[in-house]
Structures are given as C-alpha cells and as structure tokens.
Amino acid sequence: MPCALLSVYDKTGIVEFARELHSLGWKLLSSGGTAGALADAGIPATDVAAVTGYPAILGHRVVTLHPAVHGGLLADIDDPSHRDDLAAHGIEPIALAVVNLYPFESKPSIDLIDVGGPAMVRAAAKNHRHVAVVTEPAQYAEVLGELRRDGAISFATRHALAARAFAHTASYDISVAAWFAAADTVASNAVASNTVPVAEQLPERITLQLEREATLRYGENPHQHGARYRVVGERSWWSSAEQLGGKEMSYLNVYDADAAWSLVHRFTEPAAVVIKHGNPCGVAVASNIETAYRRAHECDPVSAFGGIVGLNRTMTAATADALGEVFTEVVIAPDFEPQALEVLARKKNLRVLRAVAPLRDGRSIRSIDGGVLVQDHDTPSPDTSRWRVVSRVQPTAAQLRDAALAWVTCAAVSSNAIVLVNDSRAVAIGGGQQNRVDAARIACTRAAQRAVGAVAASDAFFPFRDGPDVLAAAGVVAIVQPGGSLRDEESIAAADEHGIAMIFTGVRHFRH
C-alpha cells in the first residue's frame, strides 16, 4: 500500500483529494490542521506524531522535522543500503507528498516563515524519481487522473511537479529574503547618520523571481522571441488588464502601452497621451476626454500614426469615433462605453485594453551585460509651489499651469528633451538628442506658429544660452528647467533680454 504525506496550509480541495486517494488504496499520513480536517471528514489518516514518536512542540514549530518523515521522503528505494536503513529504523517510504506553505508573501512575519514545509517539499522534489510532490491544489486533478488511469504517477509528471516545487520554494525564499533586506535597510539607517533618508537607500542584495504571464507575438523585431513576466511578490496592473479586442500584443505594444498608462495617470484632469517608440508625441488635458484626445493627436499627427493611446477616463463613443480616423496600435482606458466598443470593434487589429490605474511603486531595473542597473522610479511632480522664478518677468497663472503640464511630460521623453505646451496641450516635443539645442530646434520646427505663446520645459539645465535663444526666437514666453549649470546666469540673461519668464525647479528628469 503506497503512502502519501498530506500537510497543507491551503486546504482547498484537500478533503476531496484525500478521500479519492483513500479509495484508490493509499495509506494517508498527516499532521496538524490537515489531520484534523481529514478526521472531521471521516477519512482514515495516521498522525505524523504516531510515526515520529513526538507530538508537535515549540508552538508547532517542530512537527515533521524527523528522520521518520525525511527518511521516507529521501529514500532511494533502488539502493540496497537505503532499503537496509529503512528496515533497520522502521521507516516507511513515502511516494506522494502534498505540501503547501504558510502564506508569508501575503502576510509577512517571523511566525509565517515556514521551515518544515519547504524542507519536505525540497526533499520530495530532490527524490522525484520515487516521490511525487504536489504544492498547489490546481495539481490535484492531474495527479488523480493518472492514478485512476495508470495506477501510478509517471516520471514525466513527477519531474514536472518537482520543477514546479523548486520554483515554489525559491519564490518563497525570495519573499523572505526581500522582507529581511527591507528590514535590514531600515535597521541600518536607524543606527547610521540621518543625512540620507531611508527612501534613498537600496538594499545590498535584491533577489528576483520572474513568472511568465504572457507569450508575446514577437520581441522588439519579428525575428526575436518575446514574453511578459511578472516579478513574483510585486503588484502590477498588467496582471488584471483585460484585452477586449484586437491582435495579440507584441513586445513593443506592451512597452509603449506601459509608458502611455504611466504618463496619463500623472494627470488628475481628463487627459490623453499618444506614445510612439516609448516617447510621448501628444499630450493634453481638457474638460472632457474627447477634447483631450483630439488635442493630444493634433500635437504630432504624423508621429501618431501607429501609436498607442492612453486615456485616464472612460472612453466615450465620440472619442472612439475620433480615434477611428487614425491608425492606432493600442488604446488603453479604465473603461469603455458600450457604443465605444462597437465603434472600436470595426478595427479588427486594434488592441483594446481595459485596466486599473498603475501602482507606480517599486524600483526601475534595466539590463546591462551580466547584471542590471537599479534605481527608484522617477516621479515628476506638477507642484509649482517650490519652483523659483529667476527672471525679471513673472509667469502668469495660465503659464504656470502649462509649465506644470510641460514639466511632467518632459520627464517621460528621452533625453535630451524639450516639450512645448500651449493652452493645456503639448504642441511639440523634441527628444532623444545628443545636445539640448537640437532638441529645442526640433520642438520649435514641429510647433511652427503654435510655439508663439507656448511654455517650454527642459528635462535638464541649459549648458549654454543657445537653447533659450532658439526657444525665444520661436515665440516661447516662459521656460521651466532644473537650473544648476555653471552658465545659469547666461540663460537667465537671455530670458531677460527676450522678455520671457524663466523658472528653476531644482530637479532634473533625465530619461535615457
């Protein structure tokens, strides 16, 4: 009679699973709450304490850590010396281990760091030539199906279960390690100098576990494979996003949609953004979402072709009609009116995503050869209260509002970046340039007459006065920039000569 060990925290389906094992002729060994659940259901099971000769001790910290359990899990029954040891010590081999762990990830605490559970899972997985290890209720049906059909669990299934089991314990250990790393950072800062805030610290070690959530049509180019992964233990709006129409998402669809969703949610008013190749090519806020979208599109209609649109309000039928006039790869919004979905459905290839707001927590990670770069997320603030006007001309209230919009948008543009905003909408964006004056020239050329009366934002300081000169010549009436150049006085003098306002924020927003 084969023996199965059942010791689970998540008891979903365990009674039904155990009842079926019993009917198939398996002997059941159990412990703690699992043993109680089986007893309450009238299913015969031997308590682990009867096998080990010890009751649960130390507040249930030690239950299954015993040779009678781990010998049964680790025994290679093809090895005569192992069989001799089992016989000498009266240990019964265990052929099936059903174990899941304390929910540390959702309720991190010292008391929920499982010790016995991972030890049993790893032992069974290591010995998968002879032991099947089940770590998730979703696996019950497959195991029972094989037992009913073949009377045994195949090696292929045991191998797959073991792989999943090691991934399970690895993920669990990562959650514990991350929790300790965060606590260690706080503790270190508590005894160190108070000159550096805790939020600015990065842990000495970061352990990541990635779980594939979606296979993509292809990578950055059609000859590359692509997939979207979730960082285990992290929350993501992608996990709950719904695709309501269109083709499968590609790598760049996901990349650009993420950029659109992040930027559009930096605004509290109805807002629309158009993203192309990871950069905004249209941004606007307005009293309603249709107007915001139309104004965002007008910023750069040429670049908007094949772009990604993000809205921070429910998409209306009128907005869908306007978007239908333009070839768009993806549209993402918190919700869609039924009539809007009908309109969008006419464009068979348009990917339509409904999603919750992004969480915007955690850190930014970028690959380098053999490692990664890690930093806190950059979160530009539209708060103008700490800005400093350094020119003789003072900005008007309307110009300050446009400056805030330009400033937040500029942080989402590849450096070097210049954004021109006029009347609550971007009228031109120049980004990704190796020098700032070229970014200014590109923005002014794209804006043409719309630059007259516009506010310009620069993601970093102007190293020379040539940038402000170009902007002023195009009709820009105010410039917002971090300041901090050795030649700041030259830029301020240029602003005063041209009779425009200049504002220093004291914060740089490079995005490479």
Side-chain angles (χ1 to χ4, degrees):
M1 178 183 293
C3 179
L5 170 64
L6 281 63
S7 180
V8 295
Y9 183 91
D10 180 359
K11 296 177 178 56
T12 303
I14 191 62
V15 169
E16 294 78 8
F17 184 67
R19 182 177 288 116
E20 185 73 7
L21 285 176
H22 176 66
S23 70
L24 291 170
W26 283 69
K27 176 181 178 180
L28 305 182
L29 180 64
S30 191
S31 67
T34 308
L38 301 187
D40 291 343
I43 301 172
T46 300
D47 195 291
V48 165
V51 173
T52 64
Y54 284 89
I57 62 172
L58 305 181
H60 218 76
R61 285 190 173 188
V62 178
V63 181
T64 57
L65 296 170
H66 191 279
V69 174
H70 285 273
L73 290 171
L74 285 166
D76 179 356
I77 57 176
D78 293 331
D79 186 327
S81 66
H82 284 210
R83 293 197 300 270
D84 290 345
D85 283 343
L86 293 178
H89 298 287
I91 298 173
E92 183 173 9
I94 296 170
L96 173 63
V98 184
V99 183
N100 57 55
L101 313 180
Y102 295 158
F104 179 87
E105 186 177 310
S106 60
K107 303 174 183 177
S109 73
I110 289 291
D111 289 338
L112 286 182
I113 297 177
D114 205 331
V115 176
M120 289 188 289
V121 169
R122 289 177 60 84
K126 174 178 179 176
N127 197 29
H128 66 275
R129 286 177 54 234
H130 303 292
V131 183
V133 56
V134 174
T135 53
E136 304 170 21
Q139 298 167 336
Y140 294 166
E142 178 185 10
V143 169
L144 288 176
E146 284 200 17
L147 288 174
R148 294 190 199 102
R149 185 181 66 246
D150 306 322
I153 303 168
S154 69
F155 175 78
T157 297
R158 282 182 272 121
H159 186 275
L161 290 171
R164 180 58 190 164
F166 279 121
H168 186 58
T169 56
S171 175
Y172 194 85
D173 286 342
I174 285 168
S175 296
V176 175
W179 184 68
F180 265 94
D184 184 58
T185 298
V186 173
S188 297
N189 285 319
V191 297
S193 169
N194 292 326
T195 58
V196 181
V198 171
E200 293 182 11
Q201 299 296 309
L202 292 172
E204 181 180 351
R205 292 180 179 84
I206 298 175
T207 310
L208 294 177
Q209 175 83 354
L210 303 179
E211 183 175 72
R212 191 177 66 195
E213 279 199 324
T215 299
L216 305 174
R217 290 181 67 215
Y218 48 78
E220 205 159 5
N221 298 287
H223 64 274
Q224 296 172 273
H225 296 297
R228 176 172 58 79
Y229 288 78
R230 179 182 69 90
V231 177
V232 174
E234 295 284 339
R235 299 172 297 162
S236 168
W237 66 267
W238 279 106
S239 298
S240 61
E242 301 172 79
Q243 185 168 347
L244 305 178
K247 296 189 296 186
E248 293 177 78
M249 299 281 285
S250 71
Y251 178 100
L252 289 178
N253 292 152
V254 172
Y255 183 80
D256 288 344
D258 197 70
W261 205 228
S262 176
L263 178 55
V264 80
H265 279 279
R266 290 177 181 168
F267 307 109
T268 56
E269 302 169 80
V273 304
V274 184
I275 296 288
K276 190 72 171 290
H277 296 176
N279 281 281
C281 58
V283 179
V285 297
S287 60
N288 61 78
I289 200 64
E290 180 191 355
T291 302
Y293 168 69
R294 289 188 180 276
R295 290 183 172 180
H297 175 74
E298 289 167 357
C299 176
D300 189 352
V302 174
S303 297
F305 181 85
I308 277 70
V309 171
L311 311 173
N312 68 355
R313 295 290 193 277
T314 296
M315 174 175 257
T316 62
T319 311
D321 284 330
L323 184 136
E325 301 169 3
V326 184
F327 170 54
T328 302
E329 291 274 5
V330 181
V331 59
I332 178 169
D335 209 349
F336 297 82
E337 290 181 354
Q339 298 92 330
L341 288 176
E342 292 177 10
V343 172
L344 297 176
R346 298 171 195 160
K347 301 175 78 68
K348 301 299 182 183
N349 292 331
L350 173 63
R351 300 158 182 87
V352 180
L353 296 183
R354 178 165 57 200
V356 299
L359 298 163
R360 282 187 288 170
D361 56 3
R363 299 184 177 99
S364 170
I365 298 175
R366 178 176 289 184
S367 299
I368 57 173
D369 186 28
V372 297
L373 294 173
V374 180
Q375 63 177 347
D376 297 325
H377 279 304
D378 187 19
T379 53
S381 172
D383 181 10
T384 64
S385 63
R386 296 187 179 182
W387 291 3
R388 183 166 60 96
V389 178
V390 294
S391 58
R392 289 196 293 265
V393 173
Q394 297 292 309
T396 66
Q399 288 167 359
L400 271 178
R401 286 195 298 271
D402 282 351
L405 176 61
W407 184 243
V408 170
T409 301
C410 205
V413 179
S414 296
S415 300
N416 290 310
I418 298 290
V419 174
L420 304 187
V421 169
N422 200 335
D423 191 23
S424 298
R425 56 181 167 179
V427 293
I429 297 171
Q433 300 305 303
Q434 286 76 19
N435 66 75
R436 195 155 301 279
V437 70
D438 276 351
R441 289 190 183 109
I442 290 170
C444 292
T445 300
R446 288 178 173 174
Q449 289 303 308
R450 295 177 298 170
V452 177
V455 173
S458 173
D459 61 344
F461 63 65
F462 290 95
F464 306 100
R465 63 169 288 166
D466 50 3
D469 285 338
V470 168
L471 295 170
V476 166
V477 296
I479 297 173
V480 56
Q481 59 141 316
S485 168
L486 292 175
R487 297 175 180 265
D488 272 347
E489 292 304 319
E490 294 181 15
S491 293
I492 296 170
D496 288 339
E497 289 174 23
H498 295 298
I500 65 176
M502 181 167 284
I503 307 164
F504 283 3
T505 66
V507 180
R508 189 182 77 183
H509 287 298
F510 268 158
R511 175 179 171 266
H512 286 71

